[in-house]
């Protein structure tokens, strides 16, 4: 009976859901010497307020951009020191699998966030209406995401984006939760019979 209980406990552990780990990029700082975001040695992304280009500034955390513009100012959220993306098409890729992406928008134009697998196939997308509304574009996928784009509704239109959040571990699926619950019920019933 003890071998059965050990087996069931191991099955419950394996079936336990993986909690999503989030990588947050606010475009105000870049990783410092330790190569991680959110630590004491993070550095300001740019010292001046003029639009600048980013490409490999987040390579240390596995995020690359295909040349996006960054500006500083009170426009996006009222904070004069805030830095945000202000760019035409925004696109990039990841060194690691990502399972969810969200990014804030405050733009006049409509915007669409699209996520792609390693082969370039579209996995999922989300669209919002612009018109100077603050909104969040958000997608999630059970398949790994390796590339993304945020596009306006017409070529040449500028989007204002901030607070990119990436889920870098799988989000638990309902089937995983059901397996965990089933395993716990089996262990509980085995213990009850034993008494």
């Amino acid at each position: 009976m003890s071998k059965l209980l050990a087996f069931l406990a191991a099955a419950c552990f394996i079936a336990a859901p993986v909690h999503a780990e989030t990588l947050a990029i606010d475009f105000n700082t870049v990783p410092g010497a330790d190569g991680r975001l959110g630590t004491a040695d993070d550095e300001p992304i740019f010292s001046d307020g003029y639009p600048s280009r980013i490409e490999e500034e987040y390579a240390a955390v596995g995020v690359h951009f295909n040349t996006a513009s960054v500006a500083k100012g009170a426009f996006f959220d009222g904070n004069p020191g805030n830095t945000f993306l202000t760019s035409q098409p925004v696109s990039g890729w990841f060194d690691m699998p990502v399972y969810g992406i969200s990014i804030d928008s405050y733009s006049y134009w409509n915007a669409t966030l699209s996520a792609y697998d390693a082969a370039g196939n579209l996995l999922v997308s989300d669209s919002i209406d612009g018109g100077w509304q603050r909104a969040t574009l958000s997608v999630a996928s059970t398949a790994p995401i390796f590339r993304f784009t945020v596009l306006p509704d017409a070529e040449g239109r500028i989007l204002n984006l901030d607070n990119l959040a990436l889920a870098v571990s799988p989000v638990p699926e309902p089937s995983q939760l059901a397996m965990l619950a089933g395993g716990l019920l089996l262990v509980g019933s085995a213990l009850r019979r034993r008494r």
Side-chain angles (χ1 to χ4, degrees):
M1 183 64 123
S2 62
K3 288 181 180 179
L4 174 64
L5 287 176
F7 172 76
L8 291 173
C12 287
F13 178 75
I14 291 168
V18 178
H19 297 286
E21 181 182 333
T22 302
L23 173 63
I25 297 177
D26 65 5
F27 301 106
N28 292 314
T29 60
V30 294
D34 67 2
R36 297 179 316 176
L37 278 171
T39 59
D41 74 339
D42 287 359
E43 301 172 1
I45 191 165
F46 296 111
S47 58
D48 59 32
Y50 296 102
S52 302
R53 300 281 187 192
I54 63 166
E55 291 178 357
E56 294 298 317
E57 282 71 12
Y58 293 98
V61 294
V63 181
H64 312 269
F65 291 91
N66 289 332
T67 311
S69 298
V70 178
K72 181 189 288 187
F75 167 75
F76 192 91
D77 65 0
N79 174 4
N82 185 57
T83 307
F84 59 96
L85 288 175
T86 178
S87 191
Q88 290 179 5
V90 173
S91 64
W93 69 95
F94 312 116
D95 291 340
M96 68 287 188
V98 169
Y99 295 89
I101 304 171
S102 72
I103 192 163
D104 294 339
S105 173
Y106 182 43
S107 307
Y108 183 74
W109 314 111
N110 300 341
T112 300
L113 167 64
S114 299
Y116 304 88
D117 64 15
N121 299 309
L122 177 67
L123 294 172
V124 65
S125 65
D126 182 31
S127 297
I128 57 172
D129 293 332
W132 300 121
Q133 296 184 64
R134 295 183 194 279
T136 301
L137 290 155
S138 182
V139 296
S141 173
T142 55
I145 299 168
F146 284 96
R147 296 185 174 277
F148 75 101
T149 60
V150 185
L151 304 175
D153 55 6
E155 190 175 335
R157 293 180 171 171
I158 301 291
L159 295 176
N160 303 298
L161 307 165
D162 203 1
N163 302 318
L164 176 66
L166 308 172
V168 294
S169 60
V171 176
E173 292 189 45
S175 61
Q176 289 177 306
L177 296 174
M179 286 174 57
L180 176 62
L184 290 174
L185 286 172
L186 286 173
V187 169
S189 67
L191 287 174
R192 188 172 283 179
R193 284 187 200 147
R194 189 173 183 200
R195 289 184 197 155

